[in-house]
Amino acid sequence: MEIVGKLQKQFIDFINALYHEGFLDDQFLQLQKLQDESSPDFVFEVVTLFFEDSEKIINNLAATLQQQAVDFKQVDSHVHQFKGSSSSVGAQRVTNACIAFRNFCEQKNLEGCVQCLQHVKHEYFLVKNKLETLLRLEQQILAAGGTIPVLS
């Protein structure tokens, strides 16, 4: 049991740090509460889908911003989609970066949009890295016969 306890404490400390640093918000807690014996991989599946969607959206954004005549409505549509999927997993800093990005889309400010894409990508890869670590911890806890602690 000792190993499970250590992993669970590591998990709680890590997730608390992610909240404290603004990487995650309460939406992530809501996802965790939906995970139970009948769907032990729920968070893993949702987060994995978020990763797949995000990579597609980032590639679409980069391609759209490189066009000769940039369609800012299309850029905004991609950013809106990214904001939605980020907020659905509680990736707060990505969501916030998307909000700033949409302002530049409204202003049709190409330079601002290009800078925002870099910022959004940076925040996304940071949170992806953190979530991958969290998911690995989850898998280790389950493999050791433990349960995933849910923060209240």
Side-chain angles (χ1 to χ4, degrees), residues 57-58 61-62 65 72 75-76 78-79 82 93-125:
I57 295 169
I58 286 170
L61 276 168
L65 286 171
F72 287 98
V75 174
D76 186 58
H78 291 314
V79 176
F82 200 12
R93 284 167 52 161
V94 177
T95 305
N96 292 344
C98 286
I99 292 168
F101 199 153
R102 292 195 72 192
N103 290 334
F104 284 107
C105 290
E106 281 171 29
Q107 297 163 12
K108 296 184 171 29
N109 179 332
L110 181 58
E111 194 179 319
C113 284
V114 170
Q115 284 177 342
C116 280
L117 176 59
Q118 293 314 310
H119 182 62
V120 163
K121 269 168 59 172
H122 175 74
E123 288 298 342
Y124 165 70
F125 285 113

Side-chain angles (χ1 to χ4, degrees), residues 6 13 36 48 58 78 92 100 118-120 152:
K6 273 187 181 160
D13 290 348
D36 56 22
T48 302
I58 286 170
H78 291 314
Q92 191 176 11
Q118 293 314 310
H119 182 62
V120 163
S152 46

Side-chain angles (χ1 to χ4, degrees), residues 21-150:
E21 293 163 22
F23 283 106
L24 297 177
D25 62 24
D26 290 342
Q27 182 57 37
F28 191 79
L29 279 180
Q30 297 308 315
L31 283 183
Q32 282 194 300
K33 288 178 182 163
L34 295 172
Q35 182 165 288
D36 56 22
E37 289 78 40
S38 66
S39 57
D41 292 332
F42 181 74
V43 173
F44 180 83
E45 287 164 11
V46 171
V47 169
T48 302
L49 277 173
F50 166 65
F51 291 161
E52 289 168 10
D53 285 349
S54 299
E55 315 266 329
K56 275 186 212 137
I57 295 169
I58 286 170
N59 291 336
N60 289 340
L61 276 168
T64 308
L65 286 171
Q66 284 166 354
Q67 287 167 358
Q68 205 72 51
V70 173
D71 180 348
F72 287 98
K73 273 200 164 35
Q74 192 182 19
V75 174
D76 186 58
S77 168
H78 291 314
V79 176
H80 181 67
Q81 192 185 352
F82 200 12
K83 180 178 163 255
S85 63
S86 301
S87 66
S88 72
V89 297
Q92 191 176 11
R93 284 167 52 161
V94 177
T95 305
N96 292 344
C98 286
I99 292 168
F101 199 153
R102 292 195 72 192
N103 290 334
F104 284 107
C105 290
E106 281 171 29
Q107 297 163 12
K108 296 184 171 29
N109 179 332
L110 181 58
E111 194 179 319
C113 284
V114 170
Q115 284 177 342
C116 280
L117 176 59
Q118 293 314 310
H119 182 62
V120 163
K121 269 168 59 172
H122 175 74
E123 288 298 342
Y124 165 70
F125 285 113
L126 279 176
V127 81
K128 180 177 188 219
N129 192 289
K130 309 262 184 205
L131 285 170
E132 283 173 341
T133 302
L134 195 65
L135 293 175
R136 269 196 305 276
L137 268 171
E138 268 195 13
Q139 299 304 318
Q140 290 172 331
I141 291 168
L142 293 172
T147 55
I148 306 301
V150 175

